[in-house]
């Protein structure tokens, strides 16, 4: 049972434009959602989170939107920079257990 | 900046051999996690410790995998015997245990295991 799904394996955008990464979930018991970024040969790095009772959280260039009725969340990066090129994982948490999606490879072209 | 340490970074072994991975969490973090990440997939939890106690090992293949955190600080994950399907990245993470919510997990660089 794939509780968290990222349907786009890859995304390519131009520097300075907006990157939108999407994530769908099936588990209604998730109380928080988190985004992690992963560079090659490194572990995932925490980026931003959102409570299930919120619909938006913003931190600098990163904004996460949650549509609870659609069980969908998205991460917006504005403006995108070449250093943002990485694999982005969406994860839901119930208690302390994290359930990850498959990841989306973001490439930001100069 | 405090980091989660893991060793070795890379391990190549033959099937049926034993392998062990070590993790040193961020100082003061009560909760420690071991994850397995297969290429093209997200990390999957193998085992979670709260201090020295296992709180979740429901996804740990206990016939060949074992994990311990004897003094509630560093931890070892062992596979014996290794099988071809165990080739993956093994990630360790730690969290304060009393922070948040959410109780944000911080990951180490991982150990890349290749079983031949």
């Amino acid at each position: 049972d794939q509780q968290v799904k990222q349907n786009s394996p890859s995304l390519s955008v131009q520097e300075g434009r907006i990157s939108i990464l999407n994530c769908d979930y099936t588990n209604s018991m998730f109380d928080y959602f988190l985004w992690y970024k992963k560079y090659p040969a490194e572990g995932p790095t925490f980026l931003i989170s959102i409570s299930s009772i919120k619909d938006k959280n913003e931190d600098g260039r990163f904004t996460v939107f949650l549509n609870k009725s659609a069980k969908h969340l998205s991460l917006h990066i504005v403006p995108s920079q070449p250093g943002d090129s990485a694999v982005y994982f969406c994860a839901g948490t119930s208690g302390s257990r994290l359930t990850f999606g498959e990841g989306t490879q973001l490439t930001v072209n100069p | 900046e405090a980091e989660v340490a893991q060793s070795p970074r890379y391990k190549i072994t033959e099937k049926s051999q034993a392998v062990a991975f070590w993790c040193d969490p961020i100082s003061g973090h009560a909760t420690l996690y071991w994850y397995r990440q297969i290429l093209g997939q997200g990390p999957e939890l193998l085992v979670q410790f709260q201090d020295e106690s296992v709180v979740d090992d429901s996804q740990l293949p206990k016939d060949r995998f074992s994990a311990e955190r004897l003094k509630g600080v560093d931890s070892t994950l062992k596979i014996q015997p290794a099988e071809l399907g165990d080739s993956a990245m093994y990630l360790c993470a730690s969290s304060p245990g009393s922070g948040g919510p959410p109780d944000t997990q911080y990951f180490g660089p991982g150990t890349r295991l290749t079983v031949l």
Side-chain angles (χ1 to χ4, degrees):
Chain A
D1 175 28
Q2 190 73 26
Q3 297 186 42
V4 179
K5 193 148 184 65
Q6 295 174 256
N7 290 309
S8 299
S10 63
L11 174 68
S12 183
V13 300
Q14 286 298 120
E15 181 178 6
R17 305 295 292 269
I18 184 171
S19 296
I20 300 176
L21 297 104
N22 294 304
C23 178
D24 297 298
Y25 65 96
T26 58
N27 188 342
S28 300
M29 300 303 293
F30 288 142
D31 50 8
Y32 273 86
F33 299 91
L34 296 85
W35 285 92
Y36 281 81
K37 176 172 70 174
K38 186 180 184 304
Y39 293 118
E42 294 184 13
T45 303
F46 170 71
L47 200 55
I48 191 170
S49 65
I50 187 169
S51 166
S52 61
I53 63 172
K54 304 286 188 182
D55 55 16
K56 177 182 176 181
N57 187 29
E58 188 172 355
D59 183 2
R61 297 186 296 114
F62 303 91
T63 303
V64 56
F65 296 93
L66 175 62
N67 183 332
K68 202 169 180 179
S69 61
K71 293 184 177 175
H72 177 84
L73 64 156
S74 60
L75 174 68
H76 293 211
I77 306 174
V78 183
S80 301
Q81 300 173 354
D84 295 329
S85 297
V87 177
Y88 288 78
F89 290 100
C90 165
T93 182
S94 176
S96 58
R97 173 188 268 268
L98 277 176
T99 302
F100 286 88
E102 309 93 322
T104 296
Q105 171 70 58
L106 172 66
T107 302
V108 180
N109 301 303
Chain B
E1 182 176 310
E3 295 181 341
V4 176
Q6 289 188 248
S7 67
R9 293 293 307 274
Y10 303 92
K11 180 69 178 179
I12 300 174
T13 191
E14 295 185 345
K15 64 179 182 179
S16 80
Q17 296 298 303
V19 292
F21 313 129
W22 177 80
C23 172
D24 191 13
I26 292 172
S27 178
H29 279 194
T31 311
L32 185 146
Y33 313 79
W34 283 101
Y35 288 85
R36 176 171 59 186
Q37 184 186 6
I38 296 169
L39 194 63
Q41 299 182 18
E44 291 184 304
L45 181 69
L46 291 174
V47 61
Q48 176 184 342
F49 290 90
Q50 182 69 28
D51 300 310
E52 67 275 11
S53 301
V54 173
V55 297
D56 187 350
D57 63 355
S58 56
Q59 301 302 310
L60 187 71
K62 299 182 189 63
D63 57 335
R64 298 184 300 108
F65 286 65
S66 64
E68 61 183 15
R69 193 185 184 198
L70 292 177
K71 296 182 179 178
V73 180
D74 58 340
S75 175
T76 302
L77 178 70
K78 297 178 181 177
I79 308 174
Q80 182 174 14
E83 296 181 352
L84 295 176
D86 296 331
S87 294
M89 175 75 83
Y90 290 83
L91 293 161
C92 179
S94 70
S95 66
S98 57
D103 189 24
T104 303
Q105 296 181 27
Y106 298 88
F107 285 80
T111 297
R112 167 70 66 187
L113 173 66
T114 302
V115 182
L116 303 176

